[in-house]
Amino acid sequence: MRKMLPLVIFAAVSGSMTAAGFDSAADIASHLEQLPAFKTSARFAVSMPQMTDDVVYLVDLIQTATPDDPLRCDSYLIEWNPADEANRNKGFSAYYSGNHFRFNGQRLQEYHLAADSIPFRPDIIGSRSEGVHRTAQFYAMLPQAIATELRRMDNDPAYRVTFHRDTLVSGNKVVAVEAVLDQSGATAMEAEYIFDPATGMPVRIILENNPGSISEQTVMMNYENPSEAAPVTINEQWLIDRYPEAFGQYRESTFSIDNLPGQQLPGFAVPTTTGERYSRQAGDRFHTPTIIALLDAEGGFTPQSITALRDAASRMPYQPDIIWAFTDKVADRVEAVIPRPEPGEHLLMSARSLARDCGASTLPAFIIVGKDGIVKNVIVGFNNSLASDVIQKMAVMEP
């Protein structure tokens, strides 16, 4: 288990507040929510005990206050680039006024509230998933996302939140928020948020998921001189001018999971609940036709979906594989739904990136893939005929 850097607490400061007025996690959240604009570069790193090297990205962030936004979300631009020069898979995500774009180096996806509100408001159909504009890669690094997370943890009794208003980290005075999530008598997550005491800007975030377990994962975000920059007017033309190649060569109609049939299943590397990684490149073959089930452990139809797919697999003329790909980051939540995968099954977690790359804006969603790695069919949402629908679509496939 990786240890958090020690916090050295100073003697109590006279008065009820620090000079900058931050006396609680809510104070920090309010400050971040009121920023007129924000700009910084940052380093995002993920490490696991089973990994030889950390996965590192260099990220540039821009956020501009948008008080009249229809989804109450500030405009933003996130640019990311792997620190490994051999990996050229760089991209960006952007949002403004009900419009969301994301580019991964191979595909430009776009979503527009005026054309389809469900990707932005999945609660309309009963899903507990976040809107597509709040699930973009590295969105959690933005001030508005940090503020939301601080408020959520502060108001959730499952978390133990401690606020340090005058603290020393690596010889520097900072403001710190520590949070610990306990589940079933064990620590499921530890978080440490460090802020500049004068500006309230984020300095560092460390997240320890499943500490001490075989699936332990450490996420560290380090910010480089974040500041209240001049506001940037983010709109479509501004994005086109900034990324002419992405919009000129890779733009297609609003991409969703319905566009997948006939295409290669995107490559992915997603952790299993046992701390390993399930990886495949785009174009890799499967040894048998496979069902990719994109699920939320707390989704209303998740148990019924699992039962239906297992029923379908048992009645097929051949044995398909099932990849249970949960977007949840906590192994206990996933294993509470599927304690142990059955033969031919693979149990994955933290699969939000896979759902994103497949254009799955609502869950559950099911992708039927042939041995050649080509997507044959997709089914979005649960229905009472799910098992028979899967059998009908897969029975004619080559085993």
Side-chain angles (χ1 to χ4, degrees):
M1 172 181 173
R2 184 191 178 282
K3 298 292 185 183
M4 296 286 190
L5 293 181
L7 300 180
V8 180
I9 310 303
F10 291 151
V13 178
S14 60
S16 60
M17 304 281 269
T18 62
F22 305 123
D23 200 33
S24 67
D27 285 342
I28 294 289
S30 295
H31 173 72
L32 295 175
E33 290 167 343
Q34 295 169 15
L35 291 176
F38 174 86
K39 182 177 182 179
T40 191
S41 295
R43 183 179 186 273
F44 179 98
V46 177
S47 62
M48 298 179 67
Q50 298 81 6
M51 296 168 55
T52 304
D53 299 311
D54 291 352
V55 177
V56 180
Y57 286 89
L58 306 178
V59 184
D60 290 321
L61 304 166
I62 296 175
Q63 178 180 305
T64 298
T66 316
D68 57 350
D69 185 81
L71 297 170
R72 302 180 66 181
C73 180
D74 287 340
S75 302
Y76 66 76
L77 173 67
I78 304 169
E79 296 176 325
W80 46 272
N81 190 34
D84 181 1
E85 295 183 358
N87 184 348
R88 301 182 180 276
N89 188 26
K90 62 182 180 179
F92 69 86
S93 297
Y95 171 82
Y96 68 91
S97 305
N99 302 280
H100 177 60
F101 296 85
R102 52 176 67 176
F103 178 65
N104 65 0
Q106 300 176 343
R107 176 186 296 134
L108 177 63
Q109 300 170 254
E110 56 183 288
Y111 304 82
H112 304 283
L113 183 66
D116 185 2
S117 62
I118 291 179
F120 297 93
R121 292 284 315 280
D123 58 295
I124 293 174
I125 59 173
S127 172
R128 299 176 64 178
S129 301
E130 290 282 357
V132 68
H133 58 305
R134 300 185 190 274
T135 59
Q137 193 169 12
F138 307 114
Y139 172 81
M141 301 179 74
L142 291 171
Q144 60 184 327
I146 297 172
T148 298
E149 187 65 6
L150 289 177
R151 292 195 185 279
R152 186 187 69 81
M153 294 188 299
D154 208 25
N155 294 318
D156 189 337
Y159 285 86
R160 290 182 281 116
V161 177
T162 305
F163 182 80
H164 303 286
R165 60 178 181 171
D166 206 346
T167 304
L168 186 66
V169 172
S170 301
N172 298 313
K173 292 185 178 182
V174 298
V175 171
V177 178
E178 292 182 293
V180 177
L181 172 62
D182 293 321
Q183 290 185 335
S184 303
T187 299
M189 190 273 287
E190 296 177 347
E192 177 184 278
Y193 291 77
I194 303 299
F195 301 92
D196 185 297
T199 66
M201 292 292 184
V203 174
R204 186 190 72 195
I205 299 173
I206 301 178
L207 305 176
E208 291 276 7
N209 297 310
N210 304 305
S213 72
I214 193 172
S215 59
E216 177 181 351
Q217 179 193 68
T218 301
V219 178
M220 179 178 288
M221 302 165 236
N222 288 293
Y223 294 78
E224 299 177 5
N225 302 317
S227 62
E228 292 188 26
V232 174
T233 301
I234 300 175
N235 55 37
E236 183 170 326
Q237 189 57 53
W238 185 83
L239 291 171
I240 292 174
D241 292 342
R242 192 178 183 95
Y243 309 107
E245 181 180 357
F247 279 86
Q249 297 184 25
Y250 298 95
R251 191 171 196 180
E252 52 191 65
S253 60
T254 301
F255 183 81
S256 73
I257 196 169
D258 295 327
N259 300 120
L260 271 183
Q263 299 188 40
Q264 289 281 355
L265 181 72
F268 60 91
V270 178
T272 69
T273 55
T274 56
E276 301 169 321
R277 291 185 79 80
Y278 185 104
S279 303
R280 68 175 303 278
Q281 299 293 323
D284 285 353
R285 295 178 63 86
F286 289 100
H287 79 277
T288 186
T290 299
I291 307 168
I292 315 292
L294 301 171
L295 302 167
D296 175 355
E298 298 181 346
F301 294 104
T302 295
Q304 298 95 316
S305 298
I306 294 169
T307 299
L309 291 187
R310 283 177 167 171
D311 178 44
S314 69
R315 295 159 54 191
M316 294 284 293
Y318 58 88
Q319 180 62 52
D321 277 0
I322 302 178
I323 298 176
W324 305 111
F326 286 83
T327 57
D328 305 74
K329 297 180 180 179
V330 180
D332 287 350
R333 295 179 185 171
V334 176
E335 292 176 342
V337 182
I338 299 181
R340 187 179 298 104
E342 297 181 354
E345 296 183 353
H346 305 273
L347 186 56
L348 313 184
M349 57 183 283
S350 299
R352 188 170 296 280
S353 60
L354 174 59
R356 179 193 64 231
D357 291 344
C358 291
S361 57
T362 59
L363 303 178
F366 314 100
I367 305 170
I368 298 173
V369 188
K371 292 173 60 176
D372 56 4
I374 301 293
V375 176
K376 307 303 181 183
N377 283 284
V378 298
I379 301 173
V380 179
F382 173 81
N383 63 74
N384 291 329
S385 62
L386 178 61
S388 60
D389 289 346
V390 170
I391 293 172
Q392 180 181 11
K393 294 178 184 300
M394 297 192 73
V396 296
M397 296 171 60
E398 179 184 354

